[in-house]
Amino acid sequence: MNRRQLLRATTALGATGALAGTAAVPASAAEPTGPLRVHVVMFDGVEEIDFAAPYEVFSASGFFAPRPVEVRYVSATGARSVTAAYGTPVRGLHPWAPDEADLLVVPGGGYARRDSPGVWAEIDRGTLPRALASAVRPGLTLSALCTGVMLLSAAGLTRGRPCTTHHKAKPDLQQQGGLVKSARVVDDGDLVTAAGVTSGLELALWLTRRELGPDTANGLESMLEYEARGTVWTSTPVG
């Protein structure tokens, strides 16, 4: 039984604990041989915990996964550094290269402050939403958490798709055509979204479970001393 089949079995049995989904991801025909390449999208005003939590989980997953994991911060604007929501400088960003990624992770930040750096400023500028819309291709999973989901919405990527976001942004997401679900993480295959702030941990743990197997996710939870919580809604029925 390969790791994807094991994931189906453990999800069906409810053995994944609090982060159990309503369905599982279908088994792949062949195991990937290359590294899992994760690009975390950065911009001025991004929330510190939104980008740091997934980065920590994916980076640490390499200690437990049989498949190598490569994680980098990237910018769609050519910036080499950004200043996060609480003033943290982040330097050494990589160029935008979604063709070199398996997962794009879009954090949120600044949605409550229309006149400050953050999600609204990026939506108004338009560069990042256009880059996200152009990034779509077979084999790439776009994911976002908190109000980063609104950047995917601005790119037209959540319209007619199951999704979630920070509770205060849900009315906007629904108004823009998203099929908002009441779940901590919503997995619609190549589009995976998560709720507010700390749900970046759940997003990353779910994606490591999906892509690298339950042993990897369980090992991460033990190392982080964090038990994933909440519901994962998935669009793929158990077969």
Side-chain angles (χ1 to χ4, degrees):
M1 179 182 289
N2 66 28
R3 288 189 297 278
R4 291 293 182 82
Q5 290 171 326
L6 181 58
L7 173 58
R8 290 172 61 85
T10 55
T11 305
L13 292 171
T16 56
L19 199 61
T22 58
V25 178
S28 59
E31 287 295 316
T33 55
L36 177 66
R37 303 165 300 173
V38 183
H39 290 189
V40 181
V41 180
M42 300 293 284
F43 50 89
D44 283 322
V46 64
E47 195 88 14
E48 276 85 347
I49 195 171
D50 279 18
F51 68 80
Y55 191 95
E56 171 92 8
V57 172
F58 285 117
S59 296
S61 67
F63 293 121
F64 303 96
R67 179 183 177 190
V69 181
E70 298 175 357
V71 192
R72 61 174 63 170
Y73 289 133
V74 299
S75 167
T77 63
R80 296 294 295 169
S81 65
V82 298
T83 301
Y86 294 100
T88 305
V90 184
R91 302 182 177 90
L93 307 186
H94 291 262
W96 186 253
D99 56 320
E100 299 176 5
D102 302 300
L103 296 173
L104 278 184
V105 181
V106 185
Y111 198 74
R113 304 178 297 276
R114 186 83 188 238
D115 59 348
S116 301
V119 169
W120 275 118
E122 296 304 318
I123 291 173
D124 291 342
R125 180 187 301 174
T127 303
L128 181 49
R130 285 193 296 271
L132 291 168
S134 299
V136 176
R137 61 169 173 79
L140 175 66
T141 296
L142 280 89
S143 67
L145 64 138
C146 199
T147 55
V149 179
M150 302 312 297
L151 287 164
L152 297 184
S153 182
L157 300 176
T158 59
R159 182 173 295 276
R161 302 286 300 270
C163 53
T164 191
T165 186
H166 188 283
H167 64 279
K168 289 190 175 180
K170 282 183 177 180
D172 293 340
L173 184 60
Q174 187 168 22
Q175 185 178 37
Q176 294 169 24
L179 305 180
V180 177
K181 302 296 181 182
S182 180
R184 186 81 164 162
V185 176
V186 176
D187 185 338
D188 193 32
D190 61 356
L191 177 69
V192 184
T193 54
V197 194
T198 57
S199 64
L201 288 164
E202 272 74 34
L203 177 72
L205 286 167
W206 172 254
L207 286 170
T208 54
R209 184 177 294 276
R210 192 183 90 166
E211 300 298 327
L212 302 171
D215 287 345
T216 298
N218 292 341
L220 281 164
E221 288 192 27
S222 295
M223 187 203 78
L224 296 169
E225 297 190 1
Y226 179 82
E227 184 176 342
R229 65 186 183 87
T231 300
V232 175
W233 185 99
T234 69
S235 58
T236 306
V238 174

